[in-house]
């Protein structure tokens, strides 16, 4: 693919010149690489027009520590956001499940209590004593007496 595109092939050659200059530890290696590329007719038109701009871009100081710090901060913020979103999602699902479970439990308890009260009323109508009703329904005697009164 590189060989089918002249500009791309020349760009690869230019990058090799830059690496060669850096490997030789030449002073002004970027300037040398640009001049050598022009001399060898590699990206000549572009580098003659924009060589200074290219040199400025290539010479822009790259601060590894700052770059890593920025990447860490961005990763932290991304992780924090993702964690919040996941936490909210899990919290809602858990809360919903717990709410349903508690509601179901309370509903069953109320239903069972109502059933005991209905049974106690029926037993009272059939002439059972309050003590006997307490024995079979597990209701407190005070509750059975309230049904009588």
């Amino acid at each position: 693919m590189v060989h089918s595109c002249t500009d791309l092939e020349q760009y690869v050659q230019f990058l090799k010149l830059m690496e060669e200059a850096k490997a030789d530890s030449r002073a002004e290696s970027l300037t040398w690489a640009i001049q050598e590329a022009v001399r060898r007719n590699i990206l000549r038109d572009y580098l003659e027009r924009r060589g200074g701009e290219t040199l400025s871009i290539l010479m822009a100081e790259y601060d590894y520590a700052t770059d890593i710090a920025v990447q860490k901060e961005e990763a932290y913020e991304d992780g924090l956001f993702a964690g919040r979103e996941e936490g909210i999602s899990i919290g809602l699902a858990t809360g919903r499940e717990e709410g349903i479970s508690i509601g179901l439990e309370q509903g069953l308890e109320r239903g069972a209590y109502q059933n005991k009260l209905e049974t106690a009323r029926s037993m009272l109508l059939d002439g059972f004593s309050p003590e006997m009703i307490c024995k079979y329904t597990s209701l407190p005697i005070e509750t059975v007496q309230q049904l009588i009164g």
Side-chain angles (χ1 to χ4, degrees), residues 66-81:
T66 301
D67 185 42
I68 293 299
V70 168
Q71 287 181 27
K72 282 182 180 179
E73 180 66 25
E74 289 173 352
Y76 173 79
E77 289 174 5
D78 290 347
L80 190 61
F81 179 77

Side-chain angles (χ1 to χ4, degrees), residues 49-63:
R49 283 183 287 121
R50 304 248 176 158
E53 181 181 341
T54 303
L55 183 61
S56 295
I57 291 169
L58 295 171
M59 291 180 70
E61 185 175 333
Y62 173 75
D63 184 0

Side-chain angles (χ1 to χ4, degrees), residues 118-129 133:
E118 288 175 22
T119 300
R121 283 188 192 102
S122 294
M123 290 176 80
L124 281 171
L125 290 173
D126 286 342
F128 284 88
S129 70
I133 294 170

Side-chain angles (χ1 to χ4, degrees), residues 3-5 7 21 39 49-50 58 73 93 111 117-118 127 130 144:
H3 299 295
S4 64
C5 179
D7 288 341
R39 190 185 71 71
R49 283 183 287 121
R50 304 248 176 158
L58 295 171
E73 180 66 25
L117 290 177
E118 288 175 22
V144 175

Side-chain angles (χ1 to χ4, degrees), residues 2-3 9-23 32-33 40 42:
V2 171
H3 299 295
E9 185 176 345
Q10 288 184 11
Y11 181 71
V12 170
Q13 290 173 355
F14 177 65
L15 291 177
K16 287 179 183 177
L17 279 174
M18 289 186 50
E19 286 189 22
E20 179 185 324
K22 288 179 183 178
W32 176 86
R40 294 183 190 182
I42 299 170

